[in-house]
């Protein structure tokens, strides 16, 4: 085996069968210079650790947290364990196509100054069937236009991300050195980290060759949080801080995009009918506040 060049980090708390399928998709990569680290955040299933022990694959490491950290702290812990030149923070219910690493690492080699590669992504539901819900149709409208691999960056890219996050974070392949220059962020793998990296002067390569399958299902943490309205106060704080940072940088258009956070507001509007049906007063107040407050 060649020396590994890419860390595939896989934070886990969820369905063990989907986890096993995600791991197998990494094992099926045509490129073999990877190392997979699974960080189990204490999921209550005794079959998981023996399954990993039986794989007999030295490239795969299984670690279990002594106590549950929660999603964001576990993501942060995974970043701290990255050592190799490139890394991916894969979702435990997503799937890599066999040519995923071939594709993203070739693009990093073609653009040696880029910080991150966003490949083409196919969306599937909990039954592996292709779907294209509203959120993903909006992402497609917001993403940079063009065909084939292209390098993007600067204020134009930050404006588009602050208007609406069109990235699929579990599919991103990062250059580790780019992240080591960025201060710690509470939102390590949402919008904050890509925006910080691009504002630091790095670029992104976007490609439309589909080599990653991203799963959307109703039981996801992000979906339930949006429906309850309990994540929007955090988003407002982030956008307000980002607007101030962009003003200080002299990026006026990016600051206005952060203050407007149009896609985030639209997301709140989409959740309102469900909150009305449930007669959920707390959610209605949270969603209405986010929709109306700049």
């Amino acid at each position: 085996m060649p020396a590994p060049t890419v860390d595939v980090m896989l934070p886990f708390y969820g369905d063990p069968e989907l986890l096993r399928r995600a791991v197998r998709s990494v094992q099926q990569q045509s490129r073999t210079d990877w190392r997979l680290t699974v960080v189990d955040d204490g999921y209550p299933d005794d079959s998981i650790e023996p399954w990993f022990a039986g794989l007999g694959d030295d490239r795969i490491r299984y670690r279990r947290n002594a106590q549950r950290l929660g999603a964001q702290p576990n993501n942060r812990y995974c970043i701290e364990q990255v050592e190799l030149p490139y890394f991916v923070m894969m979702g435990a219910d997503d799937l890599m196509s066999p040519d995923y690493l071939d594709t993203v690492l070739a693009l990093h080699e073609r653009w040696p100054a880029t910080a991150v590669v966003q490949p083409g992504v196919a969306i599937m539901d909990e039954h592996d069937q292709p779907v294209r819900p509203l959120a993903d149709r909006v992402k497609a409208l917001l993403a940079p236009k063009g065909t084939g691999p292209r390098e993007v960056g600067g204020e134009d890219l930050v404006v588009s991300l602050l208007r609406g996050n069109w990235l699929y974070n579990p599919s991103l392949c990062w250059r580790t050195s780019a992240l080591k220059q960025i201060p710690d962020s509470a939102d390590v793998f949402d919008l904050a980290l890509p925006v910080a990296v691009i504002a630091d002067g790095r670029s992104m390569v976007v490609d439309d060759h589909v080599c990653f399958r991203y799963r959307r299902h109703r039981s996801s943490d992000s979906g339930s949080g949006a429906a309850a309205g309990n994540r929007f106060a955090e988003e407002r704080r982030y956008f307000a801080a980002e607007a101030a940072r962009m003003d200080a940088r002299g990026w006026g258009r990016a600051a206005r995009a952060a203050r407007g956070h149009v896609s985030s507001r639209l997301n709140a509007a989409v959740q309102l009918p469900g909150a009305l049906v449930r007669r959920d007063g707390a959610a209605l107040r949270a969603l209405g506040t986010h929709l109306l407050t700049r």
Side-chain angles (χ1 to χ4, degrees):
M1 289 290 183
T5 61
V6 55
D7 270 315
V8 180
M9 308 303 297
L10 205 162
F12 167 71
Y13 192 92
D15 186 327
E17 178 54 30
L18 294 180
L19 168 66
R20 289 189 279 267
R21 293 182 57 200
V23 170
R24 292 190 191 103
S25 78
V26 178
Q27 288 183 295
Q28 292 165 2
Q29 291 300 294
S30 55
R31 186 161 177 156
T32 60
D33 56 340
W34 52 265
R35 178 177 65 186
L36 171 64
T37 303
V38 176
V39 182
D40 183 343
D41 200 23
Y43 189 78
D45 189 311
D46 294 335
S47 70
I48 297 172
E49 187 166 4
W51 184 81
F52 278 97
L55 288 177
D57 192 332
D58 293 339
R59 298 170 297 175
I60 298 176
R61 306 184 296 181
Y62 172 80
R63 299 172 178 174
R64 182 177 175 88
N65 295 333
Q67 58 183 18
R68 190 176 182 199
L69 301 178
Q72 282 293 343
N74 200 31
N75 286 349
R76 199 175 304 116
Y77 173 75
C78 285
I79 288 184
E80 293 168 358
Q81 308 311 304
V82 170
E83 300 170 331
L84 299 176
Y86 305 98
F87 79 96
V88 179
M89 183 77 85
M90 185 179 179
D93 54 1
D94 300 325
L95 298 171
M96 289 181 178
S97 299
D99 64 341
Y100 169 79
L101 288 178
D102 264 334
T103 300
V104 294
L105 293 177
L107 292 174
H108 270 296
E109 291 165 7
R110 181 174 169 184
W111 279 280
T114 198
V116 60
V117 171
Q118 170 66 81
V121 174
I123 315 303
M124 59 183 172
D125 65 12
E126 57 265 39
H127 307 296
D128 288 3
Q129 295 303 305
V131 291
R132 195 168 173 82
L134 177 61
D136 298 289
R137 296 197 296 273
V138 172
K139 280 178 178 279
L141 291 173
L142 293 170
K145 300 301 181 277
T147 58
R150 58 266 190 206
E151 186 179 26
V152 292
E155 187 177 7
D156 287 345
L157 177 56
V158 171
V159 167
S160 74
L161 288 171
L162 290 172
R163 284 175 178 164
N165 186 3
W166 44 266
L167 298 172
Y168 290 93
N169 292 69
S171 73
L172 298 176
C173 181
W174 292 88
R175 191 180 304 273
T176 303
S177 60
L179 266 66
K180 298 302 184 183
Q181 301 170 11
I182 301 299
D184 291 341
S185 169
D187 304 307
V188 290
F189 260 82
D190 195 353
L191 184 59
L193 188 56
V195 168
V197 169
I198 301 306
D200 192 49
R202 306 300 291 262
S203 66
M204 173 186 296
V205 171
V206 178
D207 192 12
D208 41 23
H209 171 66
V210 175
C211 56
F212 193 91
R213 297 177 69 193
Y214 176 84
R215 191 181 304 277
R216 282 206 186 276
H217 44 87
R218 294 179 182 178
S219 61
S220 67
D221 287 343
S222 60
S224 60
N230 55 21
R231 79 179 191 201
F232 289 116
E234 181 181 351
E235 289 191 10
R236 283 197 305 282
R237 287 192 294 271
Y238 166 73
F239 283 117
E242 207 58 61
R245 281 192 285 268
M246 294 301 158
D247 273 332
R249 183 176 290 275
W251 285 7
R253 290 186 299 117
R256 289 191 293 276
R259 292 190 181 94
H261 50 274
V262 174
S263 181
S264 181
R265 290 171 189 267
L266 289 175
N267 189 17
V270 168
Q271 306 300 330
L272 276 171
L276 283 168
V277 170
R278 299 192 309 273
R279 298 183 180 180
D280 187 337
L284 285 170
R285 286 191 294 275
L287 294 167
T289 297
H290 189 68
L291 188 60
L292 299 174
T293 303
R294 285 181 64 89

